[in-house]
Amino acid sequence: AIIICLDNSDWTRNGDYFPSRWETQIDAANFIIENKCEKNPENALGIISMASKVEVHSSLTNEESRLLHCISDISINGECDILTALNISMLTLKHRMNKNQKQRIILFVGSPIKNTPQEMSLIGKKLKKYNVSMDIISFGHVEENKEKLTQLLNSVNNSNSSSLTEVPVGSYIMDALLTSSIVNEGMDQMGGGMQIDNPSGMNANVNQQ
């Protein structure tokens, strides 16, 4: 059971990722949906937008066409409320029909995070408590958000089940996905610590704190 949290803030209008942060993010999200739906028919995904007003565009479903369609209807506006989005994601996952499904959130972050590292750590611990794993895709403000996302990753990670993929300006999110554990399940289980992936496919282990 996977919730995809999309950054639809005004920052994603920026064209420093071709053709824009929003478009390259959507291409990646569509690829994830297709990958997960084709990999296992029992996988279920949901879509949440995080900016202006956090909104659930699709509850958990394995209907690929429904998921792709709802993403196309999301508008760009305002700033992201990551904490609210993660809390709503947890509630959505809690109400999944198949309680045997593992729970995961895929979080796209393409704008500056307003929350403190401490707040990010607290929400990470809450996710871990409820057995929710997380894949974070950071782009647009990679260095600026690094400390906060690392705190989130450190707090949520459980037996190397979560990952952080950083996509610098000039790279494509899709390229980063192809070498990441997000679409290559089991890749993040190959060593100690957490995997931080980059578009070149060279992974760096980060010791859990």
Side-chain angles (χ1 to χ4, degrees):
I2 303 165
I3 300 295
I4 300 176
C5 292
L6 295 171
D7 186 337
N8 60 316
S9 67
D10 285 323
W11 288 93
T12 60
R13 300 180 192 275
N14 200 311
D16 51 353
Y17 291 74
F18 182 81
S20 69
R21 294 185 189 182
W22 176 249
E23 292 294 336
T24 190
Q25 176 186 195
I26 294 313
D27 286 345
N30 288 342
F31 177 76
I32 290 170
I33 290 168
E34 293 167 1
N35 175 270
K36 299 299 182 184
C37 287
E38 291 172 7
K39 189 165 286 185
N40 189 333
E42 293 186 11
N43 285 343
L45 295 92
I47 306 294
I48 288 179
S49 62
M50 299 190 289
S52 185
K53 176 187 176 182
V54 177
E55 185 175 351
V56 180
H57 295 270
S58 174
S59 55
L60 291 166
T61 179
N62 59 3
E63 295 180 34
E64 184 177 329
S65 59
R66 173 182 163 188
L67 292 161
L68 297 175
H69 179 73
C70 79
I71 287 181
S72 67
D73 290 337
I74 297 174
S75 59
I76 299 173
N77 187 35
E79 293 186 349
C80 278
D81 185 349
I82 290 178
L83 297 188
T84 297
L86 292 178
N87 276 308
I88 291 176
S89 296
M90 275 188 279
L91 284 174
T92 305
L93 289 167
K94 181 180 179 181
H95 291 100
R96 66 197 186 283
M97 295 295 291
N98 182 356
K99 300 301 182 183
N100 292 322
Q101 288 175 322
K102 294 180 180 179
Q103 303 173 87
R104 181 170 294 275
I105 295 171
I106 298 177
L107 175 69
F108 285 88
V109 183
S111 56
I113 298 172
K114 303 300 182 183
N115 306 98
T116 65
Q118 291 74 25
E119 288 173 324
M120 300 299 283
S121 179
L122 284 173
I123 192 70
K125 290 176 181 176
K126 186 175 180 182
L127 289 162
K128 183 177 182 179
K129 177 182 177 182
Y130 290 103
N131 297 314
V132 179
S133 299
M134 173 177 282
D135 294 307
I136 307 165
I137 302 168
S138 175
F139 62 104
H141 298 266
V142 174
E143 291 304 317
E144 182 179 346
N145 289 332
K146 193 179 191 73
E147 179 187 359
K148 296 174 181 179
L149 291 178
T150 300
Q151 284 282 1
L152 175 60
L153 181 64
N154 285 338
S155 299
V156 72
N157 199 49
N158 184 15
S159 300
N160 209 31
S161 62
S162 298
S163 70
L164 168 61
T165 300
E166 297 178 325
V167 187
V169 173
S171 300
Y172 292 96
I173 298 178
M174 187 74 77
D175 290 343
L177 278 180
L178 292 173
T179 57
S180 76
S181 58
I182 299 171
V183 296
N184 298 287
E185 294 174 13
M187 205 172 125
D188 55 339
Q189 304 293 332
M190 294 171 64
M194 291 155 284
Q195 293 291 7
I196 294 187
D197 304 321
N198 65 28
S200 67
M202 298 296 290
N203 296 329
N205 283 328
V206 177
N207 292 327
Q208 187 169 2
Q209 297 177 356

